[in-house]
Amino acid sequence: MIPNLVYVVVVGVLIGAGVTLLLERTLTRVLIGVVLVGNGVNVLILTGSEFGTPPIVGETPEDGMSDPLPQAMILTAIVITLGITAFLLALAYRSQQLLGHDEVQDDAEDRRIIDLAERDEGPDAKESGDDGLPHPVYHCAPGKEGR
C-alpha cells in the first residue's frame, strides 16, 4: 500500500508543530503540543492501515475486511491523549491560580548543575581531604553536615 501524500504531509506538519510547542516553557503551549502530536500519531496509524469493508464476520468476505487493530489503537490513543490533556489543563489552571502565569520556572538544582558545567567542573568533582586523598563531595540539605 502506498500512503497518500496528503496524509504524509499532515502527519509531518502535526508532529513537527507539536514537538516545537512541546519545547516551549508555558504549560498552555505544551498542552497544545501534546494534542497535536497525539493527533499526528493517530493519522500516522491510520495511514498504515488497509482500507476495506467493516470487519463483520459473516457479512464481508475475509480478504475484503479492514484490519480492526489500527482502529482500536487510535481509539486507545484518543483516550490516553484526553487523559493527559485533562491533567495538563488542571496543572495549567492551578499554576495560573497560584502564580499568576503558567510558565515553568528553572529548577535551582538544574541551574547549579549548569553553572558547574560552565566552569568545567562536573557535579561529581573531587576535593582533597586532610589526608591528601581525594574524597567525593556530598551535597546535603542546608544546615546539615556533609561527609
Side-chain angles (χ1 to χ4, degrees):
M1 176 183 160
I2 299 173
N4 191 349
L5 183 62
V6 175
Y7 286 147
V8 173
V9 170
V10 167
V11 167
V13 168
L14 284 174
I15 292 179
V19 168
T20 302
L21 287 173
L22 280 173
L23 298 174
E24 295 290 328
R25 306 223 14 125
T26 59
L27 290 174
T28 307
R29 290 183 181 166
V30 170
L31 170 69
I32 295 170
V34 166
V35 170
L36 286 177
V37 168
N39 288 332
V41 170
N42 289 343
V43 174
L44 179 66
I45 293 171
L46 182 66
T47 58
S49 64
E50 292 286 332
F51 297 110
T53 56
I56 301 173
V57 177
E59 292 189 20
T60 307
E62 284 190 30
D63 54 338
M65 289 184 188
S66 64
D67 188 11
L69 182 63
Q71 298 170 15
M73 289 175 61
I74 290 173
L75 185 60
T76 304
I78 289 170
V79 171
I80 291 170
T81 303
L82 179 67
I84 292 172
T85 302
F87 175 71
L88 284 174
L89 273 173
L91 197 63
Y93 177 76
R94 188 68 177 158
S95 177
Q96 180 69 31
Q97 292 295 320
L98 292 176
L99 304 174
H101 57 81
D102 66 343
E103 186 173 333
V104 178
Q105 300 296 321
D106 281 336
D107 187 36
E109 184 68 17
D110 289 343
R111 177 55 48 200
R112 187 186 69 77
I113 291 172
I114 291 171
D115 290 341
L116 285 174
E118 288 174 355
R119 288 186 281 158
D120 287 332
E121 293 180 18
D124 55 343
K126 309 281 186 199
E127 288 183 357
S128 61
D130 296 333
D131 54 1
L133 298 174
H135 296 289
V137 176
Y138 297 105
H139 300 283
C140 298
K144 304 271 184 176
E145 288 189 35
R147 298 209 192 207

